[in-house]
Amino acid sequence: MLQVKDLTITHRKDLRIILDKFNMVLNDGDKAVIIGEEGNGKSTLMKWIYDPEIVDDYAECEGTRVASGEVLGYLPQELPGKDKEKTVYEYFSEAQLFFDQSPRELTEMAKEFQVSAEFFYSDQQMGSLSGGEKVKAQLMRLLMDNPTVLLLDEPSNDIDISTLELLEKLINGWKHIVLYISHDETLIENTANVVIHIEQIMRKTKSRYTIVKDSYRNYIERRADSFERQEQQAQNDRREKKIRDEKFRKIMQSVDSAQTNIAKADRDMIARLIKKKMHTVKSMEKRFEREDENMTERPEQEEAIFFKLGGDGANMPAGKNVIEYSLDELRTPDDSKVLARDIFLRVRGPERICIVGTNGAGKTTLLKKMAQELLNRTDIRAQYMPQNYEELLNLDVTPVEFLDDTGDKEVRTRIRTYLGSLKYTADEMDHPIRELSGGQKAKVLLLKMSLSDANVLILDEPTRNFSPLSGPVIRKMIAAFPGAVISISHDRKYIDEVCTKIYTLSENGLKETDK
């Protein structure tokens, strides 16, 4: 059993309560997903459950964790910096039970995770692995130590579709407890039987959480129905209140008028009647006040983000040759290995293409090369969103400073307004970018694109750090972009809803495939 009692997490810098009196109990067989918008404390909660000391430098936590007899296995959202410098062999050597694994067991694990049996002994640095290979390595090392509780922070990031399906199989077949964070809606729909929803409502001044033992799809549908019924009842209550208040106003006017117009001769007799009437009116007023206190409140929920990509200048003519890219050999960044040969890609007009392929196939390397060419072109206006946001972001400046280098007060005010629409608090706008969550960093880059006049977007895993609640908005926004989109994604809903053409990258180059 994994239990959390009365946990309150407060951000040390701006004193904002991230989680308020949180209680949770998970038992064997529970596959619990934590959902919520970016910056709501999902990863902080996960880290605290694994080791409270991890969050001490930026969060004050009060509460109790009970995990007696459980062995916790934690997969962080990002590979720690100290591990990036290690070779793959050094990384696996630090697993407590690595040297207890037989060659047969290692071979079977390698086959299951679709890597070579020699992978465990590689002298390649962990930091040079592809995003998906890093996740596979972390998962395999974690499983070697036989945990009973899996704590997985974004395990679906950067892994290819076949590995996503493997992850689904792992979660569904786990006999003990799984607590995970994911932005992959398909993975959540196929695995979760407990939903933990963390929200920041009332303009991020109040924390709220909901725990439901149900599938994700049922939770979202029932939540939407509940909000719709509450909103309808609130509207009905206010409509009836308006009618009632108007009648009451007329009664008050009638009584006041009668008091004013009493003839002196009739004053004693009629005054008693009016006094009685006024007493009745005052009683009605108090009853109405009590009724108003119990009136159905309008539902308070944390809404998904929304903004538009592409202005009037983003339209791309249908016949425009966006790119005609050819490459004899695609090699690794260190030039040590050929990943693919005879690559050719043509994109015309407002096509939205997606490049897929296995982890390590070279998708990100290829996209970077195409981005370099497109960004230097003068006949198009391209914007690039890399998989690693730090390639473009200055982590030491605030989001406002990054988006505006003019120092103009009006420009800064406008940017703050835009950031507010993306659910940034005033304090978060003044935090260094390094203190923001992955999703908040992604928002900064998307807002930069939105503020530009780009007609070509180059996107490496654009939905990877957005919550499943914001995911549909991001997909709709990119699908509506009037220019060209060249992207990489393993997000099955993104591929299905956004992309007009799919290309698979293999050692033999790019091949168009059916959706």
Side-chain angles (χ1 to χ4, degrees):
M1 180 185 72
L2 177 65
Q3 185 175 12
V4 176
K5 298 180 180 178
D6 292 326
L7 173 63
T8 296
I9 302 176
T10 305
H11 198 289
R12 290 188 184 277
K13 188 166 186 177
D14 56 30
L15 303 181
R16 178 168 63 91
I17 295 177
I18 301 172
L19 203 56
D20 190 25
K21 297 179 182 177
F22 178 83
N23 290 278
M24 175 194 77
V25 177
L26 297 177
N27 295 293
D28 283 354
D30 285 338
K31 283 82 173 162
V33 62
I34 306 175
I35 65 170
E37 291 301 313
E38 296 73 27
N40 278 7
K42 303 184 296 296
S43 292
T44 300
L45 171 61
M46 182 79 77
K47 290 174 183 176
W48 181 87
I49 290 174
Y50 178 65
D51 180 359
E53 292 184 2
I54 296 178
V55 302
D56 270 353
D57 60 334
Y58 69 92
E60 181 179 338
C61 305
E62 295 181 2
T64 305
R65 179 197 64 173
V66 179
S68 302
E70 303 287 0
V71 179
L72 306 184
Y74 171 59
L75 184 143
Q77 187 176 123
E78 299 287 345
L79 183 69
K82 59 184 177 63
D83 289 332
K84 291 180 181 179
E85 305 301 320
K86 297 171 184 172
T87 67
V88 174
Y89 176 65
E90 289 170 340
Y91 180 74
F92 279 107
S93 296
E94 293 180 356
Q96 294 180 17
L97 302 180
F98 174 66
F99 293 105
D100 292 342
Q101 306 292 313
S102 69
R104 181 178 179 179
E105 288 172 327
L106 289 177
T107 300
E108 289 177 353
M109 180 176 282
K111 184 178 179 181
E112 186 178 11
F113 279 85
Q114 300 166 357
V115 298
S116 69
E118 291 75 33
F119 181 76
F120 302 103
Y121 304 98
S122 171
D123 59 2
Q124 184 176 354
Q125 281 193 328
M126 286 291 294
S128 68
L129 297 176
S130 71
E133 288 172 327
K134 289 189 186 84
V135 174
K136 287 182 180 181
Q138 291 177 90
L139 275 172
M140 288 190 289
R141 194 181 90 165
L142 185 154
L143 292 174
M144 285 178 185
D145 288 334
N146 298 323
T148 58
V149 178
L150 295 181
L151 303 173
L152 310 177
D153 192 348
E154 295 294 350
S156 54
N157 273 3
D158 306 323
I159 58 177
D160 57 38
I161 293 175
S162 62
T163 311
L164 275 169
E165 292 169 349
L166 170 65
L167 181 61
E168 289 179 3
K169 182 179 177 182
L170 170 66
I171 293 174
N172 284 327
W174 194 255
K175 295 179 181 180
H176 303 293
I177 297 169
V178 184
L179 179 64
Y180 68 99
I181 301 167
S182 178
H183 297 148
D184 189 300
E185 291 167 69
T186 306
L187 174 73
I188 295 172
E189 289 173 356
N190 292 346
T191 57
N193 57 22
V194 178
V195 177
I196 301 169
H197 187 178
I198 300 174
E199 298 178 271
Q200 296 287 329
I201 57 175
M202 299 174 66
R203 298 189 176 185
K204 283 196 169 183
T205 61
K206 182 179 179 182
S207 172
R208 181 175 73 187
Y209 73 91
T210 305
I211 300 179
V212 175
K213 294 210 167 190
D214 204 346
S215 69
Y216 175 72
R217 186 172 295 177
N218 283 346
Y219 169 69
I220 292 299
E221 290 175 354
R222 291 177 182 176
R223 172 184 166 85
D225 289 343
S226 174
F227 276 121
E228 185 177 348
R229 286 195 302 271
Q230 186 178 344
E231 176 64 32
Q232 187 61 50
Q233 186 60 52
Q235 290 178 2
N236 291 340
D237 287 356
R238 280 154 182 77
R239 187 163 45 248
E240 292 174 5
K241 179 182 184 302
K242 185 177 180 180
I243 295 170
R244 183 203 70 194
D245 289 349
E246 179 60 24
K247 290 181 179 178
F248 182 71
R249 186 184 64 79
K250 291 178 179 178
I251 293 172
M252 285 289 292
Q253 285 180 340
S254 174
V255 174
D256 286 342
S257 178
Q259 283 181 316
T260 304
N261 298 323
I262 300 173
K264 187 174 181 179
D266 299 328
R267 185 166 294 170
D268 291 342
M269 180 181 67
I270 298 177
R272 286 194 297 271
L273 295 173
I274 292 177
K275 185 177 180 181
K276 184 177 180 181
K277 183 72 171 178
M278 181 57 74
H279 179 75
T280 302
V281 169
K282 290 293 184 183
S283 297
M284 289 174 60
E285 186 176 29
K286 290 180 180 179
R287 177 163 57 85
F288 291 160
E289 288 174 356
R290 290 194 299 271
E291 289 177 357
D292 290 348
E293 288 177 359
N294 297 319
M295 187 167 54
T296 304
E297 294 183 359
R298 292 188 181 279
E300 178 74 42
Q301 62 176 316
E302 186 177 38
E303 297 178 355
I305 63 170
F306 178 78
F307 62 99
K308 185 179 179 181
L309 275 176
D312 295 336
N315 291 295
M316 178 67 70
K320 173 69 176 177
N321 193 27
V322 176
I323 192 170
E324 199 166 278
Y325 188 82
S326 60
L327 189 66
D328 292 336
E329 286 185 344
L330 176 67
R331 306 183 71 91
T332 55
D334 62 5
D335 207 36
S336 63
K337 180 181 178 183
V338 175
L339 299 171
R341 289 184 170 86
D342 301 324
I343 291 173
F344 179 77
L345 177 68
R346 179 188 290 118
V347 178
R348 290 187 183 277
E351 290 184 324
R352 297 186 298 277
I353 74 121
C354 184
I355 299 173
V356 301
T358 58
N359 291 133
K363 300 183 296 297
T364 291
T365 302
L366 176 60
L367 195 69
K368 283 182 181 179
K369 287 182 175 293
M370 286 192 285
Q372 288 171 358
E373 179 176 315
L374 290 166
L375 290 169
N376 288 325
R377 291 256 297 275
T378 57
D379 61 321
I380 59 173
R381 299 176 302 280
Q383 286 283 331
Y384 175 46
M385 181 179 185
Q387 186 182 110
N388 179 8
Y389 306 142
E390 296 180 12
E391 292 178 22
L392 294 183
L393 292 173
N394 181 347
L395 302 184
D396 295 321
V397 304
T398 69
V400 176
E401 291 167 339
F402 175 79
L403 292 166
D404 170 52
D405 55 5
T406 68
D408 183 88
K409 185 176 180 180
E410 289 186 6
V411 173
R412 294 272 170 127
T413 300
R414 188 165 66 251
I415 287 172
R416 284 182 173 274
T417 300
Y418 291 143
L419 288 169
S421 71
L422 295 179
K423 311 304 178 187
Y424 279 83
T425 65
D427 288 321
E428 287 170 337
M429 296 178 199
D430 294 325
H431 285 179
I433 290 175
R434 69 172 64 257
E435 296 181 8
L436 302 178
S437 70
Q440 288 173 309
K441 292 173 183 174
K443 286 178 181 179
V444 172
L445 289 177
L446 279 177
L447 183 53
K448 184 175 184 291
M449 291 183 175
S450 179
L451 295 173
S452 75
D453 59 350
N455 56 8
V456 178
L457 301 182
I458 311 154
L459 310 172
D460 195 344
E461 295 284 358
T463 61
R464 66 191 289 265
N465 276 311
F466 287 102
S467 77
L469 303 171
S470 287
V473 179
I474 299 298
R475 295 194 298 271
K476 185 177 180 180
M477 181 177 65
I478 298 174
F481 179 68
V485 178
I486 303 172
S487 61
I488 295 170
S489 184
H490 300 129
D491 181 338
R492 289 161 282 187
K493 288 187 181 291
Y494 173 87
I495 293 170
D496 183 54
E497 297 173 15
V498 176
C499 304
T500 56
K501 287 185 178 180
I502 312 299
Y503 291 88
T504 299
L505 178 63
S506 70
E507 60 184 13
N508 297 317
L510 284 169
K511 182 180 179 181
E512 186 173 354
T513 54
D514 295 330
K515 290 179 68 172

